[in-house]
Amino acid sequence: MYEDLALVRPFMLHHSHSLCHWHSSSTIKTPLLGLAAGEDLSEMGRSPCCEKIGLKKGPWTPEEDQKLLAYIEKHGHGSWRALPAKAGLQRCGKSCRLRWTNYLRPDIKRGEFSLQEEQTIIQLHALLGNRWSAIATHLPKRTDNEIKNYWNTHLKKRLSKMGIDPCTHKAKIDTLSSANGHPKKVANLSHMAQWESARLEAEARLARESKLRAASNSTILPQQQQMGTSSSSSSTTPLPPAPVNPWMEAWSAKPATQGERIDLESPTSTLSLAENWLPIMASGTELVDGNAPAEAAATHQEGENLEPEDAGWKCVAKDRVDCFTGFSMDAFGSEAPWLSEPYTSQAGYSWGQLGAGFTAMLLGDSGGQNTSDSCVQEEEEEATGLVEREGNKTYWNTILNSVNSSSSSNSPPVFYH
DNA sequence: AATAATCGCAACCGCACAATC
DNA sequence: AGATTGTGCGGTTGCGATTAT
């Protein structure tokens, strides 16, 4: 049950524009699209989520939205399967759930993606692939569906135009060979990525557990129950006491002494980050030469004239390449700095900490600086570092420039030299 | 002005997995 | 232990809007 309906009502106003858009663009005229008579999916291996015959499909009407909202306001969603009948909707429960989670939920933001959000999506996608729900946990108030759509319709194309394969984040001109000389770095990146991947999964699990726990207390607000993919961004979502993060538990169960190289396995990681990050390590020069020479060059020169907003970019971007090229688990000793921060301040557990913690690390801000400082002590990497750094900078400059091209009012983000 | 092509996004589909019976 | 149910997730589709010809 909603304990505070005020949490819901404002959002109804907030979303009025969405409904207006909906009115104008679609589909009041859309006919009812019930399945054809006799169409019965129950013989297809599993029973349908609900009785489908006569149920409406297609876009939601404002009336339906209101019914769904009113019902959830009063009762919470409870069982989605049972909800449509109780709420007086001719929809299947799945459709109701989707409508709620992707559109009606109070804690979602719609409209333009910010530069920062775009940047985060690109980077997380490079790291995680098409794991939209995991990516969504780092983008507060955005749904996985929205992120997925945005990726498919905008970002993917931009990367393609830049000559970067949006699936692998590699330059289309394969540069594998240029990285062959640095298996160590590849391994380091792989380690980092696996840890991060594992952490994200643990986060999601934690969110689910927290949600379930809250639900079992029966006093939780319905919208909190629905926070599934975005609970990490909620400052109100109750959290269990530390150490509650399975990832951290695993970490503490396998302590490493200072300087000890840890051969870690991500519990569930499914991606090959070594591969994903190769272009970052090795392909930048090609990108400059082949795809964005003038822009990249200009970008480097414009660095001194940034707007305050861009200074943030600059700051965030600064030295991230050092972090990556020199990354080593050695640098962390018994603790992973980019991981420990969010979880040592569990009370907050906000996006600001969690997201910034990771994203900043990813980008190599001051939080990651320690890492890079340690890393650059390795002389053998120092020897080849310059070339790779230039390449990495160029790769990200290219990405960022491309991202930036959609918002002409902003100066391009720039890496320091 | 008419038509075709493309874009953008909400919604649907089917699979996977965990919880429950 | 196996079957059933509920939910989450990622891929895909359908269709109105917009742009190009």
Side-chain angles (χ1 to χ4, degrees), chain A residues 341-366:
Chain A
E341 190 274 333
Y343 290 104
T344 52
S345 52
Q346 291 249 349
Y349 198 61
S350 63
W351 160 249
Q353 291 166 314
L354 213 167
F358 166 63
T359 305
M361 180 282 298
L362 194 61
L363 294 169
D365 72 352
S366 58

PDB file of all heavy atoms in Angstrom, chain A residues 341-366:
ATOM      1  N   GLU A 341      34.116   2.081  -1.843  1.00  0.00           N
ATOM      2  CA  GLU A 341      33.492   3.348  -1.475  1.00  0.00           C
ATOM      3  C   GLU A 341      31.978   3.278  -1.379  1.00  0.00           C
ATOM      4  O   GLU A 341      31.398   3.638  -0.365  1.00  0.00           O
ATOM      5  CB  GLU A 341      33.928   4.440  -2.457  1.00  0.00           C
ATOM      6  CG  GLU A 341      33.533   5.825  -2.040  1.00  0.00           C
ATOM      7  CD  GLU A 341      32.144   6.166  -2.490  1.00  0.00           C
ATOM      8  OE1 GLU A 341      31.685   5.626  -3.481  1.00  0.00           O
ATOM      9  OE2 GLU A 341      31.495   6.964  -1.792  1.00  0.00           O
ATOM     10  N   PRO A 342      31.310   2.779  -2.385  1.00  0.00           N
ATOM     11  CA  PRO A 342      29.858   2.775  -2.290  1.00  0.00           C
ATOM     12  C   PRO A 342      29.367   1.936  -1.131  1.00  0.00           C
ATOM     13  O   PRO A 342      28.357   2.231  -0.521  1.00  0.00           O
ATOM     14  CB  PRO A 342      29.417   2.168  -3.620  1.00  0.00           C
ATOM     15  CG  PRO A 342      30.575   2.335  -4.524  1.00  0.00           C
ATOM     16  CD  PRO A 342      31.781   2.266  -3.648  1.00  0.00           C
ATOM     17  N   TYR A 343      30.098   0.878  -0.828  1.00  0.00           N
ATOM     18  CA  TYR A 343      29.588  -0.038   0.167  1.00  0.00           C
ATOM     19  C   TYR A 343      30.041   0.290   1.574  1.00  0.00           C
ATOM     20  O   TYR A 343      29.569  -0.282   2.526  1.00  0.00           O
ATOM     21  CB  TYR A 343      29.992  -1.461  -0.217  1.00  0.00           C
ATOM     22  CG  TYR A 343      29.239  -1.895  -1.425  1.00  0.00           C
ATOM     23  CD1 TYR A 343      29.867  -1.932  -2.664  1.00  0.00           C
ATOM     24  CD2 TYR A 343      27.884  -2.189  -1.359  1.00  0.00           C
ATOM     25  CE1 TYR A 343      29.172  -2.287  -3.786  1.00  0.00           C
ATOM     26  CE2 TYR A 343      27.187  -2.542  -2.487  1.00  0.00           C
ATOM     27  CZ  TYR A 343      27.836  -2.600  -3.696  1.00  0.00           C
ATOM     28  OH  TYR A 343      27.143  -2.948  -4.802  1.00  0.00           O
ATOM     29  N   THR A 344      30.943   1.196   1.662  1.00  0.00           N
ATOM     30  CA  THR A 344      31.285   1.617   3.000  1.00  0.00           C
ATOM     31  C   THR A 344      30.404   2.771   3.438  1.00  0.00           C
ATOM     32  O   THR A 344      30.472   3.232   4.553  1.00  0.00           O
ATOM     33  CB  THR A 344      32.754   2.067   3.076  1.00  0.00           C
ATOM     34  OG1 THR A 344      32.979   3.025   2.050  1.00  0.00           O
ATOM     35  CG2 THR A 344      33.693   0.894   2.912  1.00  0.00           C
ATOM     36  N   SER A 345      29.585   3.184   2.549  1.00  0.00           N
ATOM     37  CA  SER A 345      28.627   4.229   2.903  1.00  0.00           C
ATOM     38  C   SER A 345      27.242   3.773   2.513  1.00  0.00           C
ATOM     39  O   SER A 345      26.538   4.397   1.769  1.00  0.00           O
ATOM     40  CB  SER A 345      28.980   5.517   2.177  1.00  0.00           C
ATOM     41  OG  SER A 345      29.113   5.261   0.796  1.00  0.00           O
ATOM     42  N   GLN A 346      26.909   2.640   3.032  1.00  0.00           N
ATOM     43  CA  GLN A 346      25.677   2.000   2.622  1.00  0.00           C
ATOM     44  C   GLN A 346      24.432   2.788   2.962  1.00  0.00           C
ATOM     45  O   GLN A 346      23.424   2.693   2.288  1.00  0.00           O
ATOM     46  CB  GLN A 346      25.570   0.633   3.303  1.00  0.00           C
ATOM     47  CG  GLN A 346      26.583  -0.349   2.801  1.00  0.00           C
ATOM     48  CD  GLN A 346      25.911  -1.440   2.001  1.00  0.00           C
ATOM     49  OE1 GLN A 346      24.697  -1.539   2.023  1.00  0.00           O
ATOM     50  NE2 GLN A 346      26.685  -2.214   1.303  1.00  0.00           N
ATOM     51  N   ALA A 347      24.523   3.551   4.008  1.00  0.00           N
ATOM     52  CA  ALA A 347      23.326   4.293   4.405  1.00  0.00           C
ATOM     53  C   ALA A 347      22.806   5.126   3.258  1.00  0.00           C
ATOM     54  O   ALA A 347      21.622   5.191   3.012  1.00  0.00           O
ATOM     55  CB  ALA A 347      23.645   5.166   5.600  1.00  0.00           C
ATOM     56  N   GLY A 348      23.738   5.735   2.556  1.00  0.00           N
ATOM     57  CA  GLY A 348      23.328   6.537   1.426  1.00  0.00           C
ATOM     58  C   GLY A 348      22.948   5.679   0.239  1.00  0.00           C
ATOM     59  O   GLY A 348      21.846   5.724  -0.228  1.00  0.00           O
ATOM     60  N   TYR A 349      23.873   4.885  -0.189  1.00  0.00           N
ATOM     61  CA  TYR A 349      23.656   3.977  -1.275  1.00  0.00           C
ATOM     62  C   TYR A 349      22.977   4.682  -2.429  1.00  0.00           C
ATOM     63  O   TYR A 349      22.079   4.190  -3.086  1.00  0.00           O
ATOM     64  CB  TYR A 349      22.778   2.820  -0.809  1.00  0.00           C
ATOM     65  CG  TYR A 349      22.867   1.636  -1.721  1.00  0.00           C
ATOM     66  CD1 TYR A 349      24.079   1.003  -1.915  1.00  0.00           C
ATOM     67  CD2 TYR A 349      21.749   1.153  -2.386  1.00  0.00           C
ATOM     68  CE1 TYR A 349      24.171  -0.102  -2.741  1.00  0.00           C
ATOM     69  CE2 TYR A 349      21.833   0.044  -3.217  1.00  0.00           C
ATOM     70  CZ  TYR A 349      23.043  -0.574  -3.387  1.00  0.00           C
ATOM     71  OH  TYR A 349      23.134  -1.665  -4.202  1.00  0.00           O
ATOM     72  N   SER A 350      23.403   5.875  -2.647  1.00  0.00           N
ATOM     73  CA  SER A 350      22.737   6.671  -3.662  1.00  0.00           C
ATOM     74  C   SER A 350      23.482   6.567  -4.966  1.00  0.00           C
ATOM     75  O   SER A 350      24.602   6.079  -5.043  1.00  0.00           O
ATOM     76  CB  SER A 350      22.715   8.129  -3.226  1.00  0.00           C
ATOM     77  OG  SER A 350      24.028   8.608  -3.137  1.00  0.00           O
ATOM     78  N   TRP A 351      22.834   7.048  -5.968  1.00  0.00           N
ATOM     79  CA  TRP A 351      23.490   7.085  -7.268  1.00  0.00           C
ATOM     80  C   TRP A 351      24.757   7.902  -7.170  1.00  0.00           C
ATOM     81  O   TRP A 351      25.783   7.552  -7.734  1.00  0.00           O
ATOM     82  CB  TRP A 351      22.551   7.671  -8.301  1.00  0.00           C
ATOM     83  CG  TRP A 351      23.288   8.180  -9.487  1.00  0.00           C
ATOM     84  CD1 TRP A 351      23.436   9.471  -9.859  1.00  0.00           C
ATOM     85  CD2 TRP A 351      24.010   7.410 -10.436  1.00  0.00           C
ATOM     86  NE1 TRP A 351      24.186   9.542 -10.986  1.00  0.00           N
ATOM     87  CE2 TRP A 351      24.555   8.304 -11.357  1.00  0.00           C
ATOM     88  CE3 TRP A 351      24.263   6.058 -10.588  1.00  0.00           C
ATOM     89  CZ2 TRP A 351      25.321   7.894 -12.432  1.00  0.00           C
ATOM     90  CZ3 TRP A 351      25.039   5.653 -11.659  1.00  0.00           C
ATOM     91  CH2 TRP A 351      25.552   6.568 -12.566  1.00  0.00           C
ATOM     92  N   GLY A 352      24.672   8.983  -6.459  1.00  0.00           N
ATOM     93  CA  GLY A 352      25.821   9.854  -6.383  1.00  0.00           C
ATOM     94  C   GLY A 352      27.068   9.117  -5.952  1.00  0.00           C
ATOM     95  O   GLY A 352      28.155   9.360  -6.450  1.00  0.00           O
ATOM     96  N   GLN A 353      26.865   8.198  -5.045  1.00  0.00           N
ATOM     97  CA  GLN A 353      28.015   7.450  -4.575  1.00  0.00           C
ATOM     98  C   GLN A 353      28.295   6.268  -5.469  1.00  0.00           C
ATOM     99  O   GLN A 353      29.410   6.035  -5.904  1.00  0.00           O
ATOM    100  CB  GLN A 353      27.756   6.978  -3.143  1.00  0.00           C
ATOM    101  CG  GLN A 353      27.737   8.123  -2.184  1.00  0.00           C
ATOM    102  CD  GLN A 353      27.153   7.685  -0.867  1.00  0.00           C
ATOM    103  OE1 GLN A 353      26.130   7.026  -0.812  1.00  0.00           O
ATOM    104  NE2 GLN A 353      27.801   8.058   0.199  1.00  0.00           N
ATOM    105  N   LEU A 354      27.234   5.533  -5.687  1.00  0.00           N
ATOM    106  CA  LEU A 354      27.409   4.306  -6.428  1.00  0.00           C
ATOM    107  C   LEU A 354      27.821   4.601  -7.853  1.00  0.00           C
ATOM    108  O   LEU A 354      28.805   4.098  -8.362  1.00  0.00           O
ATOM    109  CB  LEU A 354      26.077   3.556  -6.401  1.00  0.00           C
ATOM    110  CG  LEU A 354      26.176   2.049  -6.394  1.00  0.00           C
ATOM    111  CD1 LEU A 354      24.825   1.470  -6.040  1.00  0.00           C
ATOM    112  CD2 LEU A 354      26.718   1.543  -7.681  1.00  0.00           C
ATOM    113  N   GLY A 355      27.019   5.426  -8.494  1.00  0.00           N
ATOM    114  CA  GLY A 355      27.304   5.716  -9.881  1.00  0.00           C
ATOM    115  C   GLY A 355      28.606   6.456 -10.034  1.00  0.00           C
ATOM    116  O   GLY A 355      29.444   6.099 -10.858  1.00  0.00           O
ATOM    117  N   ALA A 356      28.763   7.441  -9.225  1.00  0.00           N
ATOM    118  CA  ALA A 356      29.995   8.215  -9.323  1.00  0.00           C
ATOM    119  C   ALA A 356      31.187   7.334  -8.989  1.00  0.00           C
ATOM    120  O   ALA A 356      32.244   7.448  -9.590  1.00  0.00           O
ATOM    121  CB  ALA A 356      29.924   9.407  -8.393  1.00  0.00           C
ATOM    122  N   GLY A 357      30.979   6.465  -8.038  1.00  0.00           N
ATOM    123  CA  GLY A 357      32.074   5.594  -7.659  1.00  0.00           C
ATOM    124  C   GLY A 357      32.580   4.793  -8.830  1.00  0.00           C
ATOM    125  O   GLY A 357      33.765   4.766  -9.119  1.00  0.00           O
ATOM    126  N   PHE A 358      31.645   4.203  -9.509  1.00  0.00           N
ATOM    127  CA  PHE A 358      32.055   3.390 -10.631  1.00  0.00           C
ATOM    128  C   PHE A 358      32.449   4.232 -11.823  1.00  0.00           C
ATOM    129  O   PHE A 358      33.505   4.040 -12.416  1.00  0.00           O
ATOM    130  CB  PHE A 358      30.931   2.439 -11.025  1.00  0.00           C
ATOM    131  CG  PHE A 358      31.175   1.836 -12.370  1.00  0.00           C
ATOM    132  CD1 PHE A 358      32.275   1.035 -12.584  1.00  0.00           C
ATOM    133  CD2 PHE A 358      30.338   2.106 -13.414  1.00  0.00           C
ATOM    134  CE1 PHE A 358      32.519   0.492 -13.823  1.00  0.00           C
ATOM    135  CE2 PHE A 358      30.566   1.564 -14.654  1.00  0.00           C
ATOM    136  CZ  PHE A 358      31.659   0.755 -14.863  1.00  0.00           C
ATOM    137  N   THR A 359      31.576   5.134 -12.173  1.00  0.00           N
ATOM    138  CA  THR A 359      31.841   5.901 -13.385  1.00  0.00           C
ATOM    139  C   THR A 359      33.121   6.690 -13.268  1.00  0.00           C
ATOM    140  O   THR A 359      33.913   6.759 -14.199  1.00  0.00           O
ATOM    141  CB  THR A 359      30.676   6.848 -13.671  1.00  0.00           C
ATOM    142  OG1 THR A 359      29.487   6.077 -13.727  1.00  0.00           O
ATOM    143  CG2 THR A 359      30.872   7.575 -14.968  1.00  0.00           C
ATOM    144  N   ALA A 360      33.324   7.234 -12.091  1.00  0.00           N
ATOM    145  CA  ALA A 360      34.543   8.005 -11.905  1.00  0.00           C
ATOM    146  C   ALA A 360      35.757   7.106 -12.032  1.00  0.00           C
ATOM    147  O   ALA A 360      36.747   7.467 -12.655  1.00  0.00           O
ATOM    148  CB  ALA A 360      34.510   8.681 -10.539  1.00  0.00           C
ATOM    149  N   MET A 361      35.620   5.935 -11.467  1.00  0.00           N
ATOM    150  CA  MET A 361      36.727   5.001 -11.600  1.00  0.00           C
ATOM    151  C   MET A 361      36.947   4.683 -13.064  1.00  0.00           C
ATOM    152  O   MET A 361      38.066   4.665 -13.577  1.00  0.00           O
ATOM    153  CB  MET A 361      36.392   3.713 -10.841  1.00  0.00           C
ATOM    154  CG  MET A 361      37.450   2.646 -10.901  1.00  0.00           C
ATOM    155  SD  MET A 361      37.504   1.726 -12.428  1.00  0.00           S
ATOM    156  CE  MET A 361      35.914   0.970 -12.430  1.00  0.00           C
ATOM    157  N   LEU A 362      35.835   4.444 -13.720  1.00  0.00           N
ATOM    158  CA  LEU A 362      35.924   4.085 -15.123  1.00  0.00           C
ATOM    159  C   LEU A 362      36.608   5.171 -15.915  1.00  0.00           C
ATOM    160  O   LEU A 362      37.385   4.920 -16.817  1.00  0.00           O
ATOM    161  CB  LEU A 362      34.505   3.863 -15.654  1.00  0.00           C
ATOM    162  CG  LEU A 362      34.365   3.169 -16.991  1.00  0.00           C
ATOM    163  CD1 LEU A 362      34.955   1.778 -16.914  1.00  0.00           C
ATOM    164  CD2 LEU A 362      32.913   3.113 -17.376  1.00  0.00           C
ATOM    165  N   LEU A 363      36.302   6.378 -15.529  1.00  0.00           N
ATOM    166  CA  LEU A 363      36.862   7.494 -16.268  1.00  0.00           C
ATOM    167  C   LEU A 363      38.191   7.944 -15.704  1.00  0.00           C
ATOM    168  O   LEU A 363      38.882   8.755 -16.300  1.00  0.00           O
ATOM    169  CB  LEU A 363      35.877   8.659 -16.247  1.00  0.00           C
ATOM    170  CG  LEU A 363      34.593   8.367 -17.009  1.00  0.00           C
ATOM    171  CD1 LEU A 363      33.561   9.438 -16.734  1.00  0.00           C
ATOM    172  CD2 LEU A 363      34.873   8.259 -18.482  1.00  0.00           C
ATOM    173  N   GLY A 364      38.518   7.448 -14.550  1.00  0.00           N
ATOM    174  CA  GLY A 364      39.829   7.769 -14.022  1.00  0.00           C
ATOM    175  C   GLY A 364      39.909   9.105 -13.327  1.00  0.00           C
ATOM    176  O   GLY A 364      40.875   9.836 -13.454  1.00  0.00           O
ATOM    177  N   ASP A 365      38.898   9.457 -12.560  1.00  0.00           N
ATOM    178  CA  ASP A 365      38.993  10.714 -11.829  1.00  0.00           C
ATOM    179  C   ASP A 365      39.870  10.521 -10.611  1.00  0.00           C
ATOM    180  O   ASP A 365      40.615   9.567 -10.504  1.00  0.00           O
ATOM    181  CB  ASP A 365      37.608  11.223 -11.440  1.00  0.00           C
ATOM    182  CG  ASP A 365      36.993  10.390 -10.347  1.00  0.00           C
ATOM    183  OD1 ASP A 365      37.562   9.332  -9.993  1.00  0.00           O
ATOM    184  OD2 ASP A 365      35.949  10.778  -9.857  1.00  0.00           O
ATOM    185  N   SER A 366      39.778  11.433  -9.694  1.00  0.00           N
ATOM    186  CA  SER A 366      40.691  11.378  -8.566  1.00  0.00           C
ATOM    187  C   SER A 366      40.557  10.083  -7.797  1.00  0.00           C
ATOM    188  O   SER A 366      41.506   9.608  -7.198  1.00  0.00           O
ATOM    189  CB  SER A 366      40.417  12.561  -7.644  1.00  0.00           C
ATOM    190  OG  SER A 366      39.083  12.545  -7.214  1.00  0.00           O
TER     191      SER A 366
END
